[in-house]
């Protein structure tokens, strides 16, 4: 299963990155995250974050890729599957275009997808909308 969404934000990429890369600050701007604990420090490859989302058990996300200022990907394993969440920012005119994607794969992914697909899509879309709101309100 894959779900991807793109949003245009009227804020420069460096401002959007500052919000997105501050993972422990996510509960302050997105309703899809209840709490975050940085287990190893800042957003760097190999570092981990424990993320609690509403109605979902806490998961530890391992950072697998970071391009400072433009993208990061992290992954978690659970219930016989693997989820990879990717976050990309690029300049678009005077603002930014942000693309968020989640991939759910693995042995049980096909069985679980009908049960979790709606929630995953909703969380990705809500995160994009919340990021747009917070970045546009802070850049004015």
């Amino acid at each position: 299963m894959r779900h991807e969404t793109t949003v245009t934000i009227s804020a420069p990429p460096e401002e959007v990155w500052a919000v997105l890369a501050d993972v422990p600050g996510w509960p302050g701007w997105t309703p899809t995250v209840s709490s975050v604990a940085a287990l190893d420090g800042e957003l760097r490859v190999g570092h981990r974050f424990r993320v609690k989302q509403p109605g979902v058990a806490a998961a530890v996300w391992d950072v697998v890729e970071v391009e400072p200022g433009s993208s990061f990907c992290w992954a978690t394993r659970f219930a016989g599957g693997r989820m990879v969440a990717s976050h990309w920012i690029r300049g678009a005119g005077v603002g930014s275009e942000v693309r968020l994607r989640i991939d759910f794969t693995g042995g049980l992914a096909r069985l679980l997808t009908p049960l979790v697909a709606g929630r995953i899509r909703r969380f990705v879309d809500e995160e994009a909308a919340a990021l747009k709101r917070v970045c546009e309100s802070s850049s004015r």
Side-chain angles (χ1 to χ4, degrees):
M1 184 209 124
R2 171 178 283 174
H3 179 66
E4 184 173 307
T5 192
T6 301
V7 63
T8 301
I9 299 175
S10 297
E14 58 273 7
E15 288 182 20
V16 177
W17 177 255
V19 173
L20 200 57
D22 176 20
V23 178
W26 286 20
W29 61 265
T30 181
T32 64
V33 176
S34 306
S35 66
V36 174
L39 302 179
D40 303 305
E42 74 272 3
L43 186 64
R44 292 179 50 188
V45 171
H47 285 198
R48 299 166 302 138
F49 294 84
R50 176 173 282 111
V51 178
K52 175 68 177 98
Q53 296 182 279
V56 180
V60 174
W61 290 81
D62 299 296
V63 179
V64 295
E65 186 179 309
V66 177
E67 288 293 330
S70 65
S71 68
F72 81 91
C73 297
W74 58 4
T76 189
R77 292 190 176 279
F78 68 93
R82 181 175 191 241
M83 295 184 91
V84 177
S86 305
H87 311 75
W88 296 278
I89 304 167
R90 69 177 186 97
V94 295
S96 305
E97 181 178 89
V98 175
R99 187 167 44 117
L100 305 177
R101 183 175 78 202
I102 192 127
D103 291 286
F104 183 31
T105 59
L108 293 179
R110 288 186 184 159
L111 295 173
L112 294 174
T113 292
L115 302 174
V116 299
R119 177 178 290 182
I120 290 171
R121 287 184 185 104
R122 190 177 81 248
F123 278 12
V124 172
D125 294 345
E126 285 179 8
E127 182 181 312
L131 183 63
K132 178 178 175 70
R133 276 192 307 274
V134 72
C135 290
E136 289 182 349
S137 69
S138 67
S139 69
R140 290 182 180 194

PDB file of all heavy atoms in Angstrom, residues 56-69:
ATOM      1  N   VAL A  56      -3.412   4.608  18.011  1.00  0.00           N
ATOM      2  CA  VAL A  56      -2.403   3.692  17.487  1.00  0.00           C
ATOM      3  C   VAL A  56      -1.351   3.472  18.585  1.00  0.00           C
ATOM      4  O   VAL A  56      -0.991   4.412  19.291  1.00  0.00           O
ATOM      5  CB  VAL A  56      -1.715   4.289  16.226  1.00  0.00           C
ATOM      6  CG1 VAL A  56      -0.659   3.358  15.678  1.00  0.00           C
ATOM      7  CG2 VAL A  56      -2.746   4.610  15.155  1.00  0.00           C
ATOM      8  N   ALA A  57      -0.852   2.254  18.695  1.00  0.00           N
ATOM      9  CA  ALA A  57       0.218   1.981  19.656  1.00  0.00           C
ATOM     10  C   ALA A  57       1.459   2.794  19.285  1.00  0.00           C
ATOM     11  O   ALA A  57       1.711   3.065  18.111  1.00  0.00           O
ATOM     12  CB  ALA A  57       0.549   0.488  19.665  1.00  0.00           C
ATOM     13  N   ALA A  58       2.234   3.170  20.290  1.00  0.00           N
ATOM     14  CA  ALA A  58       3.482   3.898  20.028  1.00  0.00           C
ATOM     15  C   ALA A  58       4.394   3.041  19.158  1.00  0.00           C
ATOM     16  O   ALA A  58       4.420   1.817  19.286  1.00  0.00           O
ATOM     17  CB  ALA A  58       4.169   4.250  21.339  1.00  0.00           C
ATOM     18  N   ALA A  59       5.129   3.709  18.274  1.00  0.00           N
ATOM     19  CA  ALA A  59       6.058   3.012  17.380  1.00  0.00           C
ATOM     20  C   ALA A  59       7.398   3.728  17.403  1.00  0.00           C
ATOM     21  O   ALA A  59       7.461   4.945  17.552  1.00  0.00           O
ATOM     22  CB  ALA A  59       5.500   2.992  15.957  1.00  0.00           C
ATOM     23  N   VAL A  60       8.459   2.962  17.256  1.00  0.00           N
ATOM     24  CA  VAL A  60       9.789   3.546  17.146  1.00  0.00           C
ATOM     25  C   VAL A  60      10.124   3.639  15.663  1.00  0.00           C
ATOM     26  O   VAL A  60      10.085   2.644  14.931  1.00  0.00           O
ATOM     27  CB  VAL A  60      10.845   2.708  17.895  1.00  0.00           C
ATOM     28  CG1 VAL A  60      12.246   3.263  17.641  1.00  0.00           C
ATOM     29  CG2 VAL A  60      10.536   2.696  19.389  1.00  0.00           C
ATOM     30  N   TRP A  61      10.422   4.862  15.231  1.00  0.00           N
ATOM     31  CA  TRP A  61      10.770   5.148  13.844  1.00  0.00           C
ATOM     32  C   TRP A  61      12.271   5.372  13.756  1.00  0.00           C
ATOM     33  O   TRP A  61      12.832   6.176  14.507  1.00  0.00           O
ATOM     34  CB  TRP A  61      10.018   6.389  13.347  1.00  0.00           C
ATOM     35  CG  TRP A  61       8.548   6.147  13.180  1.00  0.00           C
ATOM     36  CD1 TRP A  61       7.590   6.167  14.154  1.00  0.00           C
ATOM     37  CD2 TRP A  61       7.877   5.834  11.968  1.00  0.00           C
ATOM     38  NE1 TRP A  61       6.371   5.888  13.603  1.00  0.00           N
ATOM     39  CE2 TRP A  61       6.505   5.681  12.264  1.00  0.00           C
ATOM     40  CE3 TRP A  61       8.296   5.675  10.643  1.00  0.00           C
ATOM     41  CZ2 TRP A  61       5.555   5.378  11.297  1.00  0.00           C
ATOM     42  CZ3 TRP A  61       7.343   5.374   9.678  1.00  0.00           C
ATOM     43  CH2 TRP A  61       5.987   5.222  10.011  1.00  0.00           C
ATOM     44  N   ASP A  62      12.920   4.647  12.856  1.00  0.00           N
ATOM     45  CA  ASP A  62      14.357   4.756  12.621  1.00  0.00           C
ATOM     46  C   ASP A  62      14.592   5.641  11.407  1.00  0.00           C
ATOM     47  O   ASP A  62      14.058   5.361  10.323  1.00  0.00           O
ATOM     48  CB  ASP A  62      14.959   3.376  12.341  1.00  0.00           C
ATOM     49  CG  ASP A  62      14.780   2.424  13.499  1.00  0.00           C
ATOM     50  OD1 ASP A  62      15.345   2.697  14.559  1.00  0.00           O
ATOM     51  OD2 ASP A  62      14.044   1.426  13.333  1.00  0.00           O
ATOM     52  N   VAL A  63      15.416   6.684  11.564  1.00  0.00           N
ATOM     53  CA  VAL A  63      15.724   7.576  10.447  1.00  0.00           C
ATOM     54  C   VAL A  63      16.682   6.844   9.516  1.00  0.00           C
ATOM     55  O   VAL A  63      17.753   6.401   9.925  1.00  0.00           O
ATOM     56  CB  VAL A  63      16.335   8.898  10.944  1.00  0.00           C
ATOM     57  CG1 VAL A  63      16.671   9.804   9.776  1.00  0.00           C
ATOM     58  CG2 VAL A  63      15.389   9.594  11.926  1.00  0.00           C
ATOM     59  N   VAL A  64      16.269   6.703   8.253  1.00  0.00           N
ATOM     60  CA  VAL A  64      17.069   5.955   7.283  1.00  0.00           C
ATOM     61  C   VAL A  64      17.705   6.845   6.220  1.00  0.00           C
ATOM     62  O   VAL A  64      18.629   6.409   5.524  1.00  0.00           O
ATOM     63  CB  VAL A  64      16.245   4.822   6.615  1.00  0.00           C
ATOM     64  CG1 VAL A  64      15.848   3.782   7.653  1.00  0.00           C
ATOM     65  CG2 VAL A  64      15.021   5.358   5.902  1.00  0.00           C
ATOM     66  N   GLU A  65      17.240   8.071   6.106  1.00  0.00           N
ATOM     67  CA  GLU A  65      17.779   8.968   5.083  1.00  0.00           C
ATOM     68  C   GLU A  65      17.477  10.409   5.471  1.00  0.00           C
ATOM     69  O   GLU A  65      16.360  10.709   5.891  1.00  0.00           O
ATOM     70  CB  GLU A  65      17.106   8.642   3.749  1.00  0.00           C
ATOM     71  CG  GLU A  65      17.615   9.355   2.551  1.00  0.00           C
ATOM     72  CD  GLU A  65      16.847   8.898   1.298  1.00  0.00           C
ATOM     73  OE1 GLU A  65      16.746   7.674   1.074  1.00  0.00           O
ATOM     74  OE2 GLU A  65      16.342   9.780   0.587  1.00  0.00           O
ATOM     75  N   VAL A  66      18.451  11.293   5.334  1.00  0.00           N
ATOM     76  CA  VAL A  66      18.235  12.721   5.586  1.00  0.00           C
ATOM     77  C   VAL A  66      19.054  13.523   4.581  1.00  0.00           C
ATOM     78  O   VAL A  66      20.242  13.265   4.390  1.00  0.00           O
ATOM     79  CB  VAL A  66      18.674  13.149   7.007  1.00  0.00           C
ATOM     80  CG1 VAL A  66      18.501  14.656   7.195  1.00  0.00           C
ATOM     81  CG2 VAL A  66      17.915  12.403   8.077  1.00  0.00           C
ATOM     82  N   GLU A  67      18.417  14.471   3.944  1.00  0.00           N
ATOM     83  CA  GLU A  67      19.065  15.499   3.143  1.00  0.00           C
ATOM     84  C   GLU A  67      18.682  16.808   3.821  1.00  0.00           C
ATOM     85  O   GLU A  67      17.576  17.320   3.587  1.00  0.00           O
ATOM     86  CB  GLU A  67      18.573  15.478   1.688  1.00  0.00           C
ATOM     87  CG  GLU A  67      19.068  14.310   0.879  1.00  0.00           C
ATOM     88  CD  GLU A  67      20.566  14.343   0.648  1.00  0.00           C
ATOM     89  OE1 GLU A  67      21.149  15.440   0.578  1.00  0.00           O
ATOM     90  OE2 GLU A  67      21.155  13.255   0.565  1.00  0.00           O
ATOM     91  N   PRO A  68      19.555  17.332   4.696  1.00  0.00           N
ATOM     92  CA  PRO A  68      19.186  18.527   5.466  1.00  0.00           C
ATOM     93  C   PRO A  68      18.641  19.648   4.587  1.00  0.00           C
ATOM     94  O   PRO A  68      19.190  19.947   3.531  1.00  0.00           O
ATOM     95  CB  PRO A  68      20.503  18.936   6.139  1.00  0.00           C
ATOM     96  CG  PRO A  68      21.247  17.638   6.269  1.00  0.00           C
ATOM     97  CD  PRO A  68      20.913  16.889   5.008  1.00  0.00           C
ATOM     98  N   GLY A  69      17.522  20.186   5.023  1.00  0.00           N
ATOM     99  CA  GLY A  69      16.878  21.269   4.295  1.00  0.00           C
ATOM    100  C   GLY A  69      15.909  20.823   3.221  1.00  0.00           C
ATOM    101  O   GLY A  69      15.136  21.628   2.711  1.00  0.00           O
TER     102      GLY A  69
END
